[in-house]
Amino acid sequence: MMKPDSKIFVAGHRGLVGSAIVRKLQSSGFTTILTKTRAELDLTSYSDVMAFFSTEKPEFVFLAAAKVGGIQANNIYRADFLLENLKIQNNVIEAAWKHQVKKLMFLGSSCIYPKLAPQPLKEEYLLTGLLEPTNEPYAIAKIAGIKLCESFNRQYGTDFISVMPTNLYGPNDNFDLNSSHVMPALIRKFVSARENNESTVTVWGSGTPMREFLYSDDMADACVFLMQRYSGNEFFNIGTGQDVTIRELAETIQKITGFQGELVFDKTKPDGTPRKLMDVSRLKALGWSPSVPLEEGIRLAVNWYLQNQARFK
Ligand code: GDP
């Protein structure tokens, strides 16, 4: 168990999930949280990561650092997504083993599941079929990470656990329209269309794919909950268990941002996997459930974007 003064390293603390985990740890009374910017510590460098663990000796690790992106970035920068993620996770997980970290949590993604797996996605569907092609390299890296944690546990008796979040959103998200996920992209597009009195907002694809969304503070809450409650070789889906179509999502953001114009669907852009709803009963059985409803979360994310918009110009 993490104690209030345990040394906890959050890798990726500037990102959507890492920043939420730091907020959650701080508000829960943990006092010794280690963070490093990319300029201070290059997680893709084996020797730098080993030196960092040897000097700082973290006791607990949240591995939330990864190269992440939306459907277009994943599809184009295929080699970068595979290579960079393998390097980061291999380095941090091996260093955690070599330097006797008490417990590590690896963050995966719902895209690890086969494209045509039954819905909702249960943890046991891993490796039962072919992956969605647009993000196959990223998913392969994440599957390797889960298996690396499990294999270290089995061979060396470590306490490394993995979690698979659904689509996340919230403060510190990536709002770059070419590389972001759908939620920040649409928030940015609707806010900008309203501010500039544009008549249309373009939504990629057909609008029919379904996605599940979890607010990042709920995700962080679940991560800290599992870090304190679970050890073993099962991994956990983290989500709400409810999804919406991309059209419904766009209409909700439209309502919240007050955009008066029309939606246009650009069918030259990929839809990706038709649906990826998580089965969250394994996590629910331990007593965890999310607390931020979708509309409230979108309001929070829109407000955060409005206050931090200058960063993304
Ligand atoms: P995915 O969950 O891995 O497919 O990644 P995304 O979050 O990037 O995309 C989810 C769905 O939203 C896909 O069907 C996209 O085509 C659709 N979508 C609609 N508008 C946008 C947009 O502006 N940006 C992105 N990234 N996706 C969009």
Side-chain angles (χ1 to χ4, degrees):
M1 286 266 285
M2 297 184 294
K3 301 199 190 83
D5 63 346
S6 295
K7 219 169 186 190
I8 307 168
F9 175 42
V10 179
H13 73 287
R14 283 189 162 172
L16 174 65
V17 193
S19 64
I21 291 176
V22 169
R23 286 196 298 277
K24 177 68 199 170
L25 289 170
Q26 283 168 339
S27 68
S28 307
F30 294 99
T31 55
T32 318
I33 304 164
L34 281 175
T35 56
K36 289 280 169 195
T37 62
R38 194 169 299 196
E40 290 164 341
L41 174 62
D42 175 5
L43 293 173
T44 65
S45 160
Y46 180 82
S47 53
D48 291 2
V49 172
M50 287 297 161
F52 166 76
F53 273 76
S54 161
T55 313
E56 297 288 347
K57 303 200 171 21
E59 296 171 273
F60 295 87
V61 174
F62 288 90
L63 178 38
K67 181 174 177 65
V68 296
I71 192 162
Q72 181 157 279
N74 266 282
N75 203 14
I76 296 173
Y77 305 109
R78 302 178 73 86
D80 297 351
F81 273 83
L82 182 54
L83 187 62
E84 209 173 299
N85 284 307
L86 285 174
K87 281 185 181 174
I88 293 171
Q89 67 203 39
N90 286 350
N91 291 343
V92 175
I93 294 169
E94 185 181 338
W97 163 64
K98 278 217 167 117
H99 294 281
Q100 285 96 38
V101 161
K102 290 182 182 149
K103 188 163 187 168
L104 172 143
M105 174 177 277
F106 173 69
L107 278 87
S109 157
S110 60
C111 67
I112 58 159
Y113 292 112
K115 176 173 178 146
L116 299 176
Q119 309 272 333
L121 299 160
K122 290 181 190 291
E123 287 87 350
E124 60 257 36
Y125 299 158
L126 179 67
L127 295 175
T128 57
L130 295 174
L131 297 164
E132 152 63 30
T134 52
N135 54 24
E136 187 190 76
Y138 177 77
I140 296 266
K142 290 295 181 185
I143 294 170
I146 301 170
K147 290 296 169 189
L148 193 58
C149 289
E150 183 193 319
S151 302
F152 266 113
N153 291 347
R154 289 183 189 278
Q155 188 179 344
Y156 294 110
T158 49
D159 189 358
F160 295 168
I161 61 173
S162 300
V163 294
M164 301 306 122
T166 187
N167 298 39
L168 303 171
Y169 67 101
N172 300 307
D173 209 339
N174 169 15
F175 285 87
D176 174 78
L177 291 181
N178 287 317
S179 61
S180 71
H181 281 104
V182 60
M183 180 76 85
L186 292 184
I187 289 176
R188 182 174 186 159
K189 287 184 194 176
F190 279 109
V191 166
S192 138
R194 191 200 52 198
E195 284 174 349
N196 302 315
N197 286 321
E198 284 157 18
S199 56
T200 59
V201 160
T202 302
V203 180
W204 291 357
S206 63
T208 57
M210 299 191 78
R211 294 289 184 273
E212 176 188 2
F213 297 94
L214 181 71
Y215 193 65
S216 60
D217 285 348
D218 269 338
M219 170 65 187
D221 190 60
C223 289
V224 173
F225 173 89
L226 280 172
M227 200 69 162
Q228 298 294 58
R229 306 274 173 104
Y230 178 79
S231 290
N233 288 326
E234 310 252 296
F235 61 88
F236 285 81
N237 288 341
I238 304 182
T240 62
Q242 287 174 340
D243 58 359
V244 292
T245 64
I246 295 300
R247 177 189 281 276
E248 285 164 341
L249 176 72
E251 287 169 353
T252 307
I253 302 174
Q254 174 173 29
K255 187 177 84 181
I256 289 171
T257 54
F259 170 69
Q260 303 288 337
E262 308 248 308
L263 303 183
V264 174
F265 290 87
D266 176 1
K267 298 203 176 131
T268 66
K269 296 284 193 204
D271 268 344
T273 195
R275 197 176 185 200
K276 45 178 171 179
L277 178 64
M278 297 281 222
D279 184 314
V280 288
S281 40
R282 185 178 281 177
L283 179 58
K284 228 175 158 189
L286 290 188
W288 187 87
S289 54
S291 64
V292 184
L294 182 60
E295 232 184 277
E296 184 189 328
I298 296 176
R299 277 182 209 285
L300 292 168
V302 168
N303 286 339
W304 186 90
Y305 177 69
L306 287 171
Q307 278 158 20
N308 293 275
Q309 218 175 341
R311 283 199 217 177
F312 305 105
K313 293 271 185 241

PDB file of all heavy atoms in Angstrom, residues 100-120:
ATOM      1  N   GLN A 100      13.749  -2.519  -7.597  1.00  0.00           N
ATOM      2  CA  GLN A 100      12.835  -3.001  -6.547  1.00  0.00           C
ATOM      3  C   GLN A 100      11.679  -2.054  -6.216  1.00  0.00           C
ATOM      4  O   GLN A 100      11.386  -1.799  -5.043  1.00  0.00           O
ATOM      5  CB  GLN A 100      13.602  -3.309  -5.237  1.00  0.00           C
ATOM      6  CG  GLN A 100      14.415  -4.580  -5.267  1.00  0.00           C
ATOM      7  CD  GLN A 100      15.882  -4.315  -5.608  1.00  0.00           C
ATOM      8  OE1 GLN A 100      16.440  -3.331  -5.183  1.00  0.00           O
ATOM      9  NE2 GLN A 100      16.457  -5.192  -6.400  1.00  0.00           N
ATOM     10  N   VAL A 101      11.058  -1.518  -7.247  1.00  0.00           N
ATOM     11  CA  VAL A 101       9.844  -0.725  -7.024  1.00  0.00           C
ATOM     12  C   VAL A 101       8.784  -1.638  -6.399  1.00  0.00           C
ATOM     13  O   VAL A 101       8.641  -2.799  -6.794  1.00  0.00           O
ATOM     14  CB  VAL A 101       9.376  -0.125  -8.377  1.00  0.00           C
ATOM     15  CG1 VAL A 101       7.928   0.312  -8.332  1.00  0.00           C
ATOM     16  CG2 VAL A 101      10.276   1.041  -8.758  1.00  0.00           C
ATOM     17  N   LYS A 102       8.085  -1.138  -5.389  1.00  0.00           N
ATOM     18  CA  LYS A 102       7.120  -1.990  -4.666  1.00  0.00           C
ATOM     19  C   LYS A 102       5.914  -2.322  -5.525  1.00  0.00           C
ATOM     20  O   LYS A 102       5.359  -3.407  -5.448  1.00  0.00           O
ATOM     21  CB  LYS A 102       6.659  -1.283  -3.389  1.00  0.00           C
ATOM     22  CG  LYS A 102       7.756  -1.205  -2.330  1.00  0.00           C
ATOM     23  CD  LYS A 102       7.251  -0.554  -1.056  1.00  0.00           C
ATOM     24  CE  LYS A 102       8.385  -0.451  -0.054  1.00  0.00           C
ATOM     25  NZ  LYS A 102       8.250   0.721   0.819  1.00  0.00           N
ATOM     26  N   LYS A 103       5.494  -1.341  -6.314  1.00  0.00           N
ATOM     27  CA  LYS A 103       4.329  -1.578  -7.161  1.00  0.00           C
ATOM     28  C   LYS A 103       4.308  -0.596  -8.317  1.00  0.00           C
ATOM     29  O   LYS A 103       4.645   0.581  -8.131  1.00  0.00           O
ATOM     30  CB  LYS A 103       3.056  -1.408  -6.317  1.00  0.00           C
ATOM     31  CG  LYS A 103       1.795  -1.818  -7.026  1.00  0.00           C
ATOM     32  CD  LYS A 103       0.701  -2.003  -6.008  1.00  0.00           C
ATOM     33  CE  LYS A 103      -0.527  -2.581  -6.647  1.00  0.00           C
ATOM     34  NZ  LYS A 103      -1.458  -3.024  -5.608  1.00  0.00           N
ATOM     35  N   LEU A 104       3.909  -1.082  -9.478  1.00  0.00           N
ATOM     36  CA  LEU A 104       3.836  -0.234 -10.675  1.00  0.00           C
ATOM     37  C   LEU A 104       2.469  -0.424 -11.314  1.00  0.00           C
ATOM     38  O   LEU A 104       1.925  -1.532 -11.330  1.00  0.00           O
ATOM     39  CB  LEU A 104       4.951  -0.626 -11.657  1.00  0.00           C
ATOM     40  CG  LEU A 104       4.938   0.011 -13.051  1.00  0.00           C
ATOM     41  CD1 LEU A 104       6.376   0.297 -13.521  1.00  0.00           C
ATOM     42  CD2 LEU A 104       4.239  -0.869 -14.089  1.00  0.00           C
ATOM     43  N   MET A 105       1.932   0.677 -11.843  1.00  0.00           N
ATOM     44  CA  MET A 105       0.694   0.584 -12.627  1.00  0.00           C
ATOM     45  C   MET A 105       0.983   1.027 -14.056  1.00  0.00           C
ATOM     46  O   MET A 105       1.491   2.132 -14.291  1.00  0.00           O
ATOM     47  CB  MET A 105      -0.406   1.457 -12.032  1.00  0.00           C
ATOM     48  CG  MET A 105      -1.655   1.495 -12.908  1.00  0.00           C
ATOM     49  SD  MET A 105      -2.971   2.442 -12.156  1.00  0.00           S
ATOM     50  CE  MET A 105      -3.671   1.196 -11.086  1.00  0.00           C
ATOM     51  N   PHE A 106       0.642   0.158 -15.010  1.00  0.00           N
ATOM     52  CA  PHE A 106       0.821   0.452 -16.439  1.00  0.00           C
ATOM     53  C   PHE A 106      -0.530   0.830 -17.029  1.00  0.00           C
ATOM     54  O   PHE A 106      -1.526   0.127 -16.828  1.00  0.00           O
ATOM     55  CB  PHE A 106       1.387  -0.785 -17.149  1.00  0.00           C
ATOM     56  CG  PHE A 106       1.442  -0.650 -18.645  1.00  0.00           C
ATOM     57  CD1 PHE A 106       2.330   0.227 -19.249  1.00  0.00           C
ATOM     58  CD2 PHE A 106       0.605  -1.404 -19.459  1.00  0.00           C
ATOM     59  CE1 PHE A 106       2.375   0.360 -20.639  1.00  0.00           C
ATOM     60  CE2 PHE A 106       0.643  -1.274 -20.852  1.00  0.00           C
ATOM     61  CZ  PHE A 106       1.542  -0.391 -21.427  1.00  0.00           C
ATOM     62  N   LEU A 107      -0.543   1.934 -17.784  1.00  0.00           N
ATOM     63  CA  LEU A 107      -1.798   2.368 -18.391  1.00  0.00           C
ATOM     64  C   LEU A 107      -1.865   1.974 -19.855  1.00  0.00           C
ATOM     65  O   LEU A 107      -1.016   2.383 -20.648  1.00  0.00           O
ATOM     66  CB  LEU A 107      -1.952   3.886 -18.257  1.00  0.00           C
ATOM     67  CG  LEU A 107      -2.491   4.305 -16.899  1.00  0.00           C
ATOM     68  CD1 LEU A 107      -1.379   4.473 -15.899  1.00  0.00           C
ATOM     69  CD2 LEU A 107      -3.287   5.567 -17.008  1.00  0.00           C
ATOM     70  N   GLY A 108      -2.850   1.187 -20.188  1.00  0.00           N
ATOM     71  CA  GLY A 108      -3.039   0.735 -21.564  1.00  0.00           C
ATOM     72  C   GLY A 108      -4.141   1.539 -22.239  1.00  0.00           C
ATOM     73  O   GLY A 108      -4.243   2.756 -22.026  1.00  0.00           O
ATOM     74  N   SER A 109      -4.974   0.856 -23.009  1.00  0.00           N
ATOM     75  CA  SER A 109      -6.006   1.546 -23.782  1.00  0.00           C
ATOM     76  C   SER A 109      -7.037   0.530 -24.249  1.00  0.00           C
ATOM     77  O   SER A 109      -6.720  -0.648 -24.432  1.00  0.00           O
ATOM     78  CB  SER A 109      -5.339   2.195 -24.992  1.00  0.00           C
ATOM     79  OG  SER A 109      -6.282   2.414 -26.008  1.00  0.00           O
ATOM     80  N   SER A 110      -8.258   1.012 -24.491  1.00  0.00           N
ATOM     81  CA  SER A 110      -9.301   0.085 -24.939  1.00  0.00           C
ATOM     82  C   SER A 110      -9.062  -0.410 -26.368  1.00  0.00           C
ATOM     83  O   SER A 110      -9.691  -1.368 -26.802  1.00  0.00           O
ATOM     84  CB  SER A 110     -10.676   0.757 -24.850  1.00  0.00           C
ATOM     85  OG  SER A 110     -10.702   1.902 -25.664  1.00  0.00           O
ATOM     86  N   CYS A 111      -8.122   0.213 -27.093  1.00  0.00           N
ATOM     87  CA  CYS A 111      -7.873  -0.233 -28.476  1.00  0.00           C
ATOM     88  C   CYS A 111      -7.096  -1.549 -28.529  1.00  0.00           C
ATOM     89  O   CYS A 111      -6.841  -2.063 -29.612  1.00  0.00           O
ATOM     90  CB  CYS A 111      -7.173   0.842 -29.283  1.00  0.00           C
ATOM     91  SG  CYS A 111      -5.518   1.150 -28.709  1.00  0.00           S
ATOM     92  N   ILE A 112      -6.733  -2.109 -27.384  1.00  0.00           N
ATOM     93  CA  ILE A 112      -6.047  -3.420 -27.370  1.00  0.00           C
ATOM     94  C   ILE A 112      -6.987  -4.555 -27.768  1.00  0.00           C
ATOM     95  O   ILE A 112      -6.544  -5.647 -28.068  1.00  0.00           O
ATOM     96  CB  ILE A 112      -5.496  -3.755 -25.964  1.00  0.00           C
ATOM     97  CG1 ILE A 112      -6.646  -3.763 -24.944  1.00  0.00           C
ATOM     98  CG2 ILE A 112      -4.392  -2.786 -25.570  1.00  0.00           C
ATOM     99  CD1 ILE A 112      -6.366  -4.534 -23.693  1.00  0.00           C
ATOM    100  N   TYR A 113      -8.308  -4.289 -27.749  1.00  0.00           N
ATOM    101  CA  TYR A 113      -9.256  -5.376 -28.013  1.00  0.00           C
ATOM    102  C   TYR A 113      -9.472  -5.574 -29.511  1.00  0.00           C
ATOM    103  O   TYR A 113      -9.378  -4.620 -30.291  1.00  0.00           O
ATOM    104  CB  TYR A 113     -10.602  -5.083 -27.329  1.00  0.00           C
ATOM    105  CG  TYR A 113     -10.475  -5.142 -25.829  1.00  0.00           C
ATOM    106  CD1 TYR A 113     -10.595  -3.998 -25.044  1.00  0.00           C
ATOM    107  CD2 TYR A 113     -10.203  -6.355 -25.193  1.00  0.00           C
ATOM    108  CE1 TYR A 113     -10.459  -4.053 -23.671  1.00  0.00           C
ATOM    109  CE2 TYR A 113     -10.063  -6.418 -23.816  1.00  0.00           C
ATOM    110  CZ  TYR A 113     -10.189  -5.266 -23.064  1.00  0.00           C
ATOM    111  OH  TYR A 113     -10.040  -5.335 -21.710  1.00  0.00           O
ATOM    112  N   PRO A 114      -9.798  -6.814 -29.921  1.00  0.00           N
ATOM    113  CA  PRO A 114     -10.051  -7.063 -31.338  1.00  0.00           C
ATOM    114  C   PRO A 114     -11.167  -6.166 -31.871  1.00  0.00           C
ATOM    115  O   PRO A 114     -12.145  -5.884 -31.164  1.00  0.00           O
ATOM    116  CB  PRO A 114     -10.491  -8.526 -31.363  1.00  0.00           C
ATOM    117  CG  PRO A 114      -9.905  -9.128 -30.131  1.00  0.00           C
ATOM    118  CD  PRO A 114      -9.890  -8.037 -29.113  1.00  0.00           C
ATOM    119  N   LYS A 115     -11.005  -5.748 -33.130  1.00  0.00           N
ATOM    120  CA  LYS A 115     -11.969  -4.843 -33.764  1.00  0.00           C
ATOM    121  C   LYS A 115     -13.388  -5.402 -33.693  1.00  0.00           C
ATOM    122  O   LYS A 115     -14.337  -4.666 -33.456  1.00  0.00           O
ATOM    123  CB  LYS A 115     -11.556  -4.645 -35.222  1.00  0.00           C
ATOM    124  CG  LYS A 115     -12.536  -3.814 -36.004  1.00  0.00           C
ATOM    125  CD  LYS A 115     -12.038  -3.493 -37.392  1.00  0.00           C
ATOM    126  CE  LYS A 115     -13.123  -2.694 -38.097  1.00  0.00           C
ATOM    127  NZ  LYS A 115     -12.593  -1.708 -39.010  1.00  0.00           N
ATOM    128  N   LEU A 116     -13.523  -6.696 -33.913  1.00  0.00           N
ATOM    129  CA  LEU A 116     -14.874  -7.261 -33.979  1.00  0.00           C
ATOM    130  C   LEU A 116     -15.241  -8.078 -32.737  1.00  0.00           C
ATOM    131  O   LEU A 116     -16.116  -8.944 -32.791  1.00  0.00           O
ATOM    132  CB  LEU A 116     -15.020  -8.103 -35.254  1.00  0.00           C
ATOM    133  CG  LEU A 116     -14.805  -7.289 -36.545  1.00  0.00           C
ATOM    134  CD1 LEU A 116     -14.860  -8.176 -37.779  1.00  0.00           C
ATOM    135  CD2 LEU A 116     -15.812  -6.143 -36.663  1.00  0.00           C
ATOM    136  N   ALA A 117     -14.612  -7.771 -31.624  1.00  0.00           N
ATOM    137  CA  ALA A 117     -14.940  -8.479 -30.375  1.00  0.00           C
ATOM    138  C   ALA A 117     -16.370  -8.143 -29.972  1.00  0.00           C
ATOM    139  O   ALA A 117     -16.868  -7.059 -30.284  1.00  0.00           O
ATOM    140  CB  ALA A 117     -13.978  -8.060 -29.279  1.00  0.00           C
ATOM    141  N   PRO A 118     -17.075  -9.075 -29.280  1.00  0.00           N
ATOM    142  CA  PRO A 118     -18.423  -8.753 -28.799  1.00  0.00           C
ATOM    143  C   PRO A 118     -18.384  -7.546 -27.865  1.00  0.00           C
ATOM    144  O   PRO A 118     -17.377  -7.304 -27.224  1.00  0.00           O
ATOM    145  CB  PRO A 118     -18.847 -10.008 -28.020  1.00  0.00           C
ATOM    146  CG  PRO A 118     -17.835 -11.056 -28.298  1.00  0.00           C
ATOM    147  CD  PRO A 118     -16.622 -10.401 -28.857  1.00  0.00           C
ATOM    148  N   GLN A 119     -19.483  -6.797 -27.820  1.00  0.00           N
ATOM    149  CA  GLN A 119     -19.580  -5.614 -26.944  1.00  0.00           C
ATOM    150  C   GLN A 119     -20.576  -5.918 -25.831  1.00  0.00           C
ATOM    151  O   GLN A 119     -21.560  -6.583 -26.087  1.00  0.00           O
ATOM    152  CB  GLN A 119     -20.063  -4.413 -27.752  1.00  0.00           C
ATOM    153  CG  GLN A 119     -19.286  -4.150 -29.015  1.00  0.00           C
ATOM    154  CD  GLN A 119     -18.079  -3.257 -28.814  1.00  0.00           C
ATOM    155  OE1 GLN A 119     -18.067  -2.440 -27.906  1.00  0.00           O
ATOM    156  NE2 GLN A 119     -17.075  -3.419 -29.636  1.00  0.00           N
ATOM    157  N   PRO A 120     -20.392  -5.419 -24.622  1.00  0.00           N
ATOM    158  CA  PRO A 120     -19.229  -4.668 -24.164  1.00  0.00           C
ATOM    159  C   PRO A 120     -17.986  -5.545 -24.038  1.00  0.00           C
ATOM    160  O   PRO A 120     -18.084  -6.757 -23.876  1.00  0.00           O
ATOM    161  CB  PRO A 120     -19.685  -4.144 -22.795  1.00  0.00           C
ATOM    162  CG  PRO A 120     -20.709  -5.101 -22.311  1.00  0.00           C
ATOM    163  CD  PRO A 120     -21.391  -5.619 -23.537  1.00  0.00           C
TER     164      PRO A 120
END
